[in-house]
């Protein structure tokens, strides 16, 4: 039998099916949907159970506080009733008081006399207005002083520029013109001899080889640098008996100190073969010809030689520098001077401009050790200043 079975030919395959069974896929999908619905039903059941628990808890709470609510409501009704009773009692009392006053027996002993003169209160209003005006003026002065960039007093100079204020030169429009004393000595116009000696004593603290060099410089035109330099030179030559040279660097409109002194009637005589130095009134005061700005030109590399020659021949060399607004020659000369002083015009020079001059001078190798407050004006009497 096995041999016959083995001899039987193999049946031919009519069709082959490859892939997933669609019936199995349909059953799997139905099973997955059933599991999802079961999970949703379980979640909904849990949510409903939580809501039921919350409702039951709230219901228990309302049942518990119900008696308290009814008790508070009864207390409110009692308070409202008491308030209404009190209001009626107060109204009745006010009516009885008014009626009792109307029934009172009042006799007029003396009738009231109206005042014959009225009081307007003008003096009180005037005093109050004056006080408010003074307070407003004081506040305005304090605020303007705090926010202003100009400098009025030496305290402003020291506070805003952080350099000591050496002098304060008062300004007066009735100041007399400078004149000559006996012996051909110049009279300082703006500085007193004590002011000049103070600056010269500060300069004497330096120990250079030869004469000492003092530079005056300002930030803007019209601050009085040339006038103060001429006064210091006159004091040093007349009162200190020093041989002084005033170097006039780039004067305004090429009008140097020598020309100005000649117009004022002083004797100006040329000294030397080159004629670049002038002697004033045959004294120990000498003034150089205008340097730069169309006059005698000196290159930057020769400034050191010029200052060294002046040190060797003079006790004091004063450099009248042009303002920084017009020329930077004064910055270049700052490093060659033994002491540099800055001139600040009161109520005109701004602190930011003066600070810029100090920064540029220090960057050039110089140092401004102090400031001179020039053209200070007293707008109120001096005795008031002395009491402030």
């Amino acid at each position: 039998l096995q041999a016959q079975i083995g001899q039987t030919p193999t049946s031919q395959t009519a069709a082959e099916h490859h892939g997933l069974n669609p019936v199995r896929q349909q059953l799997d999908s139905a099973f997955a949907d059933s599991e999802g619905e079961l999970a949703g039903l379980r979640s909904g059941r849990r949510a409903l159970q939580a809501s039921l628990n919350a409702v039951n808890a709230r219901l228990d709470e309302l049942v518990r506080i119900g008696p308290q609510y009814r008790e508070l409501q009864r207390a409110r009704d009692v308070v409202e009733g008491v308030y209404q009773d009190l209001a009626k009692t107060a109204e009745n009392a006010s009516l009885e008081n008014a009626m009792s006053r109307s029934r009172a027996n009042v006799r007029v002993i003396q009738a009231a006399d109206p005042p014959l003169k009225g009081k307007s209160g003008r003096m009180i209003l005037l005093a109050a207005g004056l006080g408010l005006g003074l307070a407003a003026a004081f506040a305005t002065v304090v605020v303007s002083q705090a926010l202003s960039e100009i400098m009025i007093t030496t305290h402003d100079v020291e506070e805003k520029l952080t350099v000591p204020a050496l002098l304060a030169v008062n300004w007066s429009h009735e100041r007399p013109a400078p004149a000559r004393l006996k012996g051909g000595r110049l009279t300082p116009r703006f500085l007193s001899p004590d002011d000049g000696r103070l600056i010269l004593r500060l300069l004497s603290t330096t120990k250079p080889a030869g004469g000492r060099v003092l530079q005056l410089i300002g930030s803007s035109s019209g601050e009085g640098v040339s006038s103060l330099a001429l006064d210091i030179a006159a004091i040093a030559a007349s009162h200190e008996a020093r041989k002084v040279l005033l170097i006039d660097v780039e004067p305004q409109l090429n009008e140097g100190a020598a020309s100005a002194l000649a117009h004022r009637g002083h004797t100006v005589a040329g000294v030397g073969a080159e004629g670049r130095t002038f002697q004033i009134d045959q004294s120990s005061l000498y003034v150089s010809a205008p340097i730069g700005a169309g006059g005698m030109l000196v290159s930057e590399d020769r400034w050191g030689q010029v200052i060294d020659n002046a040190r060797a021949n003079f006790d004091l060399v004063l450099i009248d520098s042009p303002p920084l607004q017009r020329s930077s020659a004064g910055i270049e000369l700052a490093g060659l001077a033994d002491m540099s002083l800055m001139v600040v015009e009161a109520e005109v020079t701004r602190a930011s401009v003066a600070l810029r001059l100090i920064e540029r001078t220090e960057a050039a190798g110089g140092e401004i050790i102090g400031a001179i407050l020039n053209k200070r004006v007293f707008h109120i009497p001096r005795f008031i200043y002395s009491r402030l």
Side-chain angles (χ1 to χ4, degrees):
L1 180 60
Q2 290 293 338
Q4 290 179 1
I5 292 173
Q7 293 176 359
T8 303
T10 305
S11 300
Q12 298 293 326
T13 302
E16 292 182 358
H17 184 274
H18 298 278
L20 299 176
N21 191 348
V23 177
R24 177 65 178 269
Q25 288 182 344
Q26 185 177 4
L27 293 175
D28 291 340
S29 298
F31 181 74
D33 294 338
S34 299
E35 287 183 345
E37 292 176 357
L38 178 60
L41 291 174
R42 288 177 179 174
S43 176
R45 182 179 180 181
R46 287 193 296 271
L48 291 175
Q49 185 64 34
S51 299
L52 179 60
N53 295 335
V55 170
N56 292 331
R58 182 61 177 168
L59 182 60
D60 295 338
E61 182 180 3
L62 292 176
V63 171
R64 187 177 61 257
I65 65 176
Q68 299 177 2
Y69 172 76
R70 289 190 293 273
E71 184 66 24
L72 292 175
Q73 190 172 11
R74 284 194 298 270
R76 185 194 66 179
D77 296 337
V78 172
V79 171
E80 288 180 354
V82 173
Y83 174 76
Q84 292 177 0
D85 295 337
L86 289 175
K88 291 179 181 180
T89 304
E91 185 176 1
N92 294 332
S94 62
L95 290 175
E96 290 179 0
N97 188 18
M99 293 178 64
S100 63
R101 289 182 180 179
S102 63
R103 292 194 300 265
N105 187 11
V106 179
R107 292 184 302 169
V108 178
I109 303 301
Q110 182 179 0
D113 296 330
L116 300 179
K117 295 182 180 180
K119 295 183 180 180
S120 62
R122 293 182 179 179
M123 296 303 297
I124 298 177
L125 295 176
L126 181 61
L130 182 60
L132 291 176
L134 292 176
F138 180 76
T140 303
V141 170
V142 171
V143 173
S144 61
Q145 179 66 20
L147 301 179
S148 176
E149 282 197 357
I150 61 174
M151 291 158 282
I152 302 177
T153 63
T154 54
H155 177 73
D156 296 339
V157 175
E158 294 179 349
E159 182 179 0
K160 296 179 180 180
L161 303 184
T162 64
V163 295
L166 303 179
L167 295 175
V169 182
N170 301 329
W171 177 259
S172 175
H173 296 285
E174 300 178 356
R175 192 183 301 274
R180 284 181 293 177
L181 295 176
K182 294 181 180 181
R185 296 194 304 173
L186 283 172
T187 301
R189 185 179 182 184
F190 302 98
L191 298 179
S192 65
D194 292 336
D195 295 338
R197 292 190 184 98
L198 173 62
I199 296 176
L200 294 177
R201 281 198 297 270
L202 290 176
L203 183 61
S204 64
T205 57
T206 61
K207 297 180 180 180
R212 293 176 171 84
V213 180
L214 172 63
Q215 180 194 29
L216 294 184
I217 188 171
S219 57
S220 305
S221 300
E223 293 179 330
V225 174
S226 300
S227 300
L228 296 180
L230 185 59
D231 279 5
I232 295 174
I235 293 172
S238 301
H239 299 272
E240 299 292 328
R242 299 186 185 185
K243 189 176 181 182
V244 182
L245 173 64
L246 176 60
I247 300 179
D248 200 358
V249 182
E250 297 187 12
Q252 183 76 16
L253 300 177
N254 203 22
E255 294 181 359
S259 301
L261 292 173
H263 287 305
R264 295 176 185 174
H266 297 281
T267 302
V268 180
V271 178
E274 298 180 356
R276 296 181 176 179
T277 306
F278 303 94
Q279 186 178 12
I280 309 301
D281 294 335
Q282 298 181 356
S283 64
S284 59
L285 175 60
Y286 296 82
V287 179
S288 70
I291 300 177
M296 181 178 63
L297 298 178
V298 176
S299 60
E300 297 180 5
D301 55 350
R302 290 187 56 197
W303 274 115
Q305 182 181 357
V306 171
I307 298 300
D308 291 339
N309 293 335
R311 286 181 187 272
N313 297 318
F314 295 92
D315 300 326
L316 175 62
V317 180
L318 275 170
I319 302 177
D320 181 7
S321 304
L324 179 61
Q325 182 185 20
R326 192 174 74 239
S327 173
S328 60
I331 302 297
E332 300 171 359
L333 290 170
L336 302 176
D338 299 325
M339 188 173 74
S340 297
L341 299 180
M342 178 175 58
V343 179
V344 176
E345 184 176 357
E347 303 182 22
V348 175
T349 304
R350 294 189 298 118
S352 58
V353 179
L355 288 173
R356 180 169 173 265
L357 173 61
I358 295 175
E359 292 175 357
R360 293 196 57 180
T361 302
E362 293 177 352
E367 182 182 6
I368 295 179
I369 67 169
I372 300 176
L373 182 64
N374 195 22
K375 300 183 181 181
R376 182 182 180 184
V377 180
F378 291 89
H379 298 284
I380 62 178
R382 294 287 186 88
F383 70 90
I384 297 180
Y385 275 107
S386 62
R387 287 171 173 78
L388 293 179

